[in-house]
Amino acid sequence: EGECCNTAYFMVDGIARLYFVIKEKEITNRFIGPNGVAISYFSYFSQKPSFENIDLIEDSTMLVISKEDLNKIYIDFPELHKAMERMLQLSHIESEERAMILRTLSAKEKYAVMQQRFPVIFHKASTEQIATFLGITRETLSRIRSGK
């Protein structure tokens, strides 16, 4: 947070969490699993200070590369550049789908859809991380889980 993101973290295994802090409360923005890229998109592409933090929620293996080195590799391996563009497109599609889910569904529906789409996260992340990811309170998440 507060620094320009000039590094890409390619997740080999494990799970990363991107979050921001508002009024001393961590709000989970995204979870990144294997084969994903953990970067602050806003900062990485705009070269402005990031508002996100990256944290690992379990032991993880990542390939780490600077933006400068990645751009050099793209020159020699244009097919890698195309693959990365496709990965970013899919990530943006997923972000828009998640935004629509969070804006249109009830808390119980959000939980069901996200649990179906990201089952591993629901076993690895804390209750607070999942609740903020869903845009609901921890208490609401507990009620949903208990079936009340």
Side-chain angles (χ1 to χ4, degrees):
E1 180 180 2
E3 296 180 15
C4 284
C5 178
N6 291 308
T7 305
Y9 303 88
F10 293 87
M11 300 299 295
V12 176
D13 61 45
I15 300 173
R17 175 177 74 107
L18 280 81
Y19 67 96
F20 49 92
V21 179
I22 296 179
K23 297 181 182 175
E24 299 181 17
K25 181 178 179 182
E26 293 181 2
I27 309 294
T28 301
N29 192 28
R30 291 182 282 145
F31 290 101
I32 310 296
N35 301 316
V37 182
I39 59 173
S40 171
Y41 292 122
F42 169 79
S43 179
Y44 191 82
F45 293 112
S46 71
Q47 287 301 283
K48 294 180 180 176
S50 175
F51 55 85
E52 289 181 303
N53 299 285
I54 300 174
D55 192 17
L56 300 175
I57 64 170
E58 68 176 359
D59 289 340
S60 302
T61 304
M62 300 175 292
L63 301 174
V64 181
I65 187 165
S66 71
K67 184 176 184 176
E68 182 181 343
D69 287 344
L70 188 57
N71 286 332
K72 289 176 186 175
I73 291 171
Y74 287 160
I75 293 167
D76 294 332
F77 301 96
E79 62 278 0
L80 179 63
H81 191 245
K82 287 180 184 176
M84 183 63 166
E85 282 181 357
R86 182 65 183 147
M87 186 184 302
L88 290 172
Q89 289 170 353
L90 293 173
S91 180
H92 287 316
I93 290 167
E94 185 177 282
S95 291
E96 286 197 24
E97 286 176 330
R98 179 175 168 257
M100 182 60 74
I101 288 166
L102 293 176
R103 288 184 183 110
T104 61
L105 300 182
S106 70
K108 192 173 186 177
E109 291 169 328
K110 288 183 216 182
Y111 178 79
V113 169
M114 293 300 200
Q115 187 178 33
Q116 182 181 15
R117 292 190 61 197
F118 308 104
V120 173
I121 292 166
F122 284 77
H123 297 291
K124 304 282 184 172
S126 72
T127 301
E128 186 69 24
Q129 292 167 346
I130 293 168
T132 62
F133 177 66
L134 295 174
I136 61 178
T137 65
R138 198 169 81 176
E139 294 76 21
T140 299
L141 179 57
S142 294
R143 281 193 299 276
I144 292 169
R145 285 180 161 174
S146 69
K148 294 181 181 178

